[in-house]
Amino acid sequence: SAVISQKPSRDICQRGTSLTIQCQVDSQVTMMFWYRQQPGQSLTLIATANQGSEATYESGFVIDKFPISRPNLTFSTLTVSNLSPEDSSIYLCSVGRGEKLFFGSGTQLSVL
Amino acid sequence: QQPVQSPQAVILREGEDAVINCSSSKALYSVHWYRQKHGEAPVFLMILLKGGEQKGHEKISASFNEKKQQSSLYLTASQLSYSGTYFCGTEQVSGNTPLVFGKGTRLSVIA
């Protein structure tokens, strides 16, 4: 299994500010994935973060709104910028290990 | 392309059985099943790779049809601990690609 430490676990932010979420993995991984889960909804992939290259964003998600850093093979950050109430969601990082996908515990973001 | 899950929700009494389906209009490379309890991260249950495959143990098992377009998760003699939301995640091609998840099935087991 993979041990993934994600923080903060929750935050309440004001409209127009930004939140940076950190994800630390217990061993090196090539790809890290960032998902968003809106209340009562499924998991939607935001982007794939590769070390040494720019993240690959899914349709509907842009780098200006969701900048991602991947400075090494065990760490990544996701920033949610210029927050609006519509950004209130749970954000999860995940990594693949073998056939399995493991998730961090998530960051619950509420925007006022 | 997002897989279609059914039913959206189901309520069971302890000891009853349930089947959750996950389907795609195109053949899949793999299907993964996850369970998420309220306020927690999704947890991996199993993966199916081969057409006609059946996997799991007697209580929680899954199948993947021959055409690799549908998978079903079987929950037998349900327990209270089975409550949660079940998601299928699918890959259309191999190679460490990110999963696309269905909308989930909320399962509630009551005493």
Side-chain angles (χ1 to χ4, degrees), chain B residues 7-18 20 37 75 78-86 105-111:
Chain B
Q8 289 185 332
V10 60
I11 299 174
L12 299 174
R13 292 196 177 276
E14 275 186 293
E16 292 182 336
D17 303 340
I20 300 171
K37 292 185 178 285
L75 301 158
S78 59
Q79 305 168 13
L80 293 175
S81 61
Y82 287 3
S83 293
T85 301
Y86 291 78
T105 296
R106 181 173 293 181
L107 177 72
S108 301
V109 181
I110 58 176

Side-chain angles (χ1 to χ4, degrees), chain A residues 31 35 37 42 45 99 101 104, chain B residues 32 34 36 41 49 96 99 102:
Chain A
M31 288 192 282
Y35 284 88
Q37 188 173 29
S42 184
L45 182 67
E99 299 173 331
L101 193 66
Chain B
H32 303 228
Y34 287 79
Q36 184 179 31
L49 289 163
N96 207 14
L99 297 178

Side-chain angles (χ1 to χ4, degrees), chain B residues 85-102:
Chain B
T85 301
Y86 291 78
F87 293 98
C88 67
T90 59
E91 290 179 286
Q92 290 202 307
V93 295
S94 65
N96 207 14
T97 54
L99 297 178
V100 179
F101 287 91

